[in-house]
Amino acid sequence: MTNMNASQEPSLAQQNTNLTSLLTLRQQEFGARVARLETYLHSDPENQPLLLDAFTTALHAAFFEKAEQFLKSALSIGVDASAWQFRCTNLYIAQGRYAEAEAILQDLQQHQGKNLAISHNMAFIRFQQVDYEAALAVLDAVIDIEASTAVEEVNELQVLRFRCMHRLLKLDEAVAYAIHLEKIQHLSAEAAGVASLIAVDAGQLDLAANWARLALAIVPEQVEALVANATVALSQKNTEVSRHFLLRALAKNSVDGRILSLLGFTEMYDLKIDQALSYLQSAVVYMPDHIGTHLGLGWLYFIQKDLESAQAEFETALALDHNFSESHGAIAVIAATQNEIEKARLHIELALRLDKANLSAPYAQAILSGEANDAEAIKRLAQRLLKNRFKAS
């Protein structure tokens, strides 16, 4: 692994600029390929392999009008109609035309019966509509076929199944299922990556590390596995390794709140305040309901003596869950700093009643007694907040 010098790390803005440039370059490459294939098709308009290549390339590049043009050409020929109708559902799903895609899928299913590809697309529509229970029910209906099909052919179904279970917080059930699939050698590499992050949230860090390694050995940029590895590393106080994996994950998805939040906590743990602030400010935009991220951001504002912004973040965290002790402790710290002694004592009492191991309440007590040590206390708080489970995103 390459050692990363902190002074050489790209800023968040630089990372986003680099990612945008890379995506633009890929778009241009796809566009040039589509143009070449289109030229070939002018000479040989009924060439099925050429049409398939052109359609697939245009779809991957999000050139939807071109993809639809190639699709119509293929359907007009009348060869392999059902396969092209299925490809039509891929296009419609990419465009968000779910009702049209589902109508075709239902018709195909009526004629073909149980079919893994059809079931995957039907489940994926439900997933995109945030109906994870319905998506999982569709996948469960073909689990018998899935079990008897080669693992490389069921990778997408396994990935989607685990992502549904993750969002439904069926963590223990998902971990047990991944263990079963691994035992019978039927767990795909990409699905292992998704399972690794589920294992993190289930507190099974050894399993998380094992599944992340399995995934990254085959799919080096599998995002959930990168995040799982980073989280395991951070739990071991290895911020350099955590940062390494998170920056790779961020290059794949620059708007993932969980990745940004973990990067913020990684920098926060190393007391790199400016970098941490930048990441956590972005994280709350994409993950506004995560208590730990609001608290982390609040502590960064507190370090910078911006008590108004710190209090706003702490109050947001408290509004999300009045029974989370660290939020009460954080409010107590602000009150103690502003010499609001009664308010500070009230929230200290509430925090310790909810969790005697609370860290911020004793810090508030230390402020009241004049014994506070900002840097070390914040470092311990960062570590504590990381244990607050992330919602799947």
Side-chain angles (χ1 to χ4, degrees), residues 84 89 91 110 133 149 161 181 201 269 289 292 371 386:
W84 278 102
T89 70
L91 172 62
Q110 187 175 354
E133 288 280 9
T149 304
R161 178 186 300 278
L181 289 177
D201 289 345
Y269 188 79
D289 295 334
E371 299 173 357
L386 283 167

Side-chain angles (χ1 to χ4, degrees), residues 242-291:
S242 175
R243 189 179 296 110
H244 170 82
F245 284 112
L246 288 169
L247 288 174
R248 285 170 59 185
L250 190 67
K252 298 292 292 183
N253 188 353
S254 64
V255 296
D256 186 296
R258 181 168 187 161
I259 297 169
L260 289 162
S261 183
L262 282 168
L263 271 165
F265 279 110
T266 298
E267 305 300 0
M268 185 177 178
Y269 188 79
D270 280 347
L271 297 177
K272 297 177 181 177
I273 305 305
D274 290 341
Q275 295 96 316
L277 192 64
S278 176
Y279 285 125
L280 291 186
Q281 284 172 334
S282 296
V284 295
V285 173
Y286 300 113
M287 195 168 58
D289 295 334
H290 188 248
I291 295 169

Side-chain angles (χ1 to χ4, degrees), residues 17-274:
T17 299
N18 293 341
L19 182 60
T20 300
S21 298
L22 180 60
L23 291 175
T24 301
L25 181 60
R26 287 178 178 171
Q27 269 309 83
Q28 292 171 348
E29 290 173 353
F30 273 123
R33 180 169 175 77
V34 169
R36 286 198 303 273
L37 291 168
E38 196 169 20
T39 299
Y40 300 151
L41 283 168
H42 283 311
S43 303
D44 191 3
E46 297 189 3
N47 187 313
Q48 286 277 317
L50 270 180
L51 280 168
L52 178 56
D53 194 358
F55 170 78
T56 303
T57 304
L59 183 59
H60 286 167
F63 296 158
F64 296 137
E65 289 186 10
K66 285 290 184 186
E68 192 154 11
Q69 175 186 324
F70 298 134
L71 176 70
K72 288 177 179 178
S73 296
L75 289 171
S76 69
I77 298 169
V79 179
D80 204 12
S82 62
W84 278 102
Q85 286 174 338
F86 178 77
R87 290 169 192 138
C88 182
T89 70
N90 289 334
L91 172 62
Y92 287 172
I93 289 171
Q95 293 175 300
R97 297 161 62 180
Y98 299 132
E100 294 170 82
E102 187 170 1
I104 296 172
L105 289 166
Q106 288 175 343
D107 184 62
L108 289 171
Q109 189 173 58
Q110 187 175 354
H111 290 88
Q112 298 183 26
K114 284 186 178 182
N115 178 287
L116 293 181
I118 293 170
S119 294
H120 172 273
N121 277 15
M122 292 185 75
F124 188 74
I125 289 170
R126 300 285 183 269
F127 184 89
Q128 292 296 98
Q129 294 171 328
V130 200
D131 191 347
Y132 305 126
E133 288 280 9
L136 196 56
V138 172
L139 296 173
D140 285 343
V142 292
I143 198 168
D144 54 336
I145 304 174
E146 182 183 335
S148 59
T149 304
V151 66
E152 59 271 14
E153 296 179 31
V154 296
N155 169 60
E156 290 187 351
L157 274 86
Q158 287 187 1
V159 166
L160 186 57
R161 178 186 300 278
F162 281 119
R163 285 179 177 155
C164 287
M165 295 172 85
H166 198 185
R167 283 155 177 76
L168 291 167
L169 297 180
K170 296 186 176 185
L171 306 180
D172 293 338
E173 183 181 337
V175 167
Y177 188 57
I179 291 172
H180 165 71
L181 289 177
E182 186 179 29
K183 185 176 181 180
I184 63 174
Q185 299 183 329
H186 205 250
L187 179 65
S188 78
E190 192 173 355
V194 183
S196 72
L197 194 54
I198 297 173
V200 164
D201 289 345
Q204 302 273 5
L205 295 189
D206 288 342
L207 282 175
N210 288 337
W211 287 335
R213 280 195 294 271
L214 172 63
L216 295 176
I218 306 298
V219 190
E221 302 307 313
Q222 209 286 325
V223 174
E224 284 104 331
L226 292 171
V227 175
N229 258 353
T231 308
V232 172
L234 199 53
S235 74
Q236 298 166 344
K237 304 180 184 179
N238 192 334
T239 54
E240 182 180 0
V241 171
S242 175
R243 189 179 296 110
H244 170 82
F245 284 112
L246 288 169
L247 288 174
R248 285 170 59 185
L250 190 67
K252 298 292 292 183
N253 188 353
S254 64
V255 296
D256 186 296
R258 181 168 187 161
I259 297 169
L260 289 162
S261 183
L262 282 168
L263 271 165
F265 279 110
T266 298
E267 305 300 0
M268 185 177 178
Y269 188 79
D270 280 347
L271 297 177
K272 297 177 181 177
I273 305 305
D274 290 341

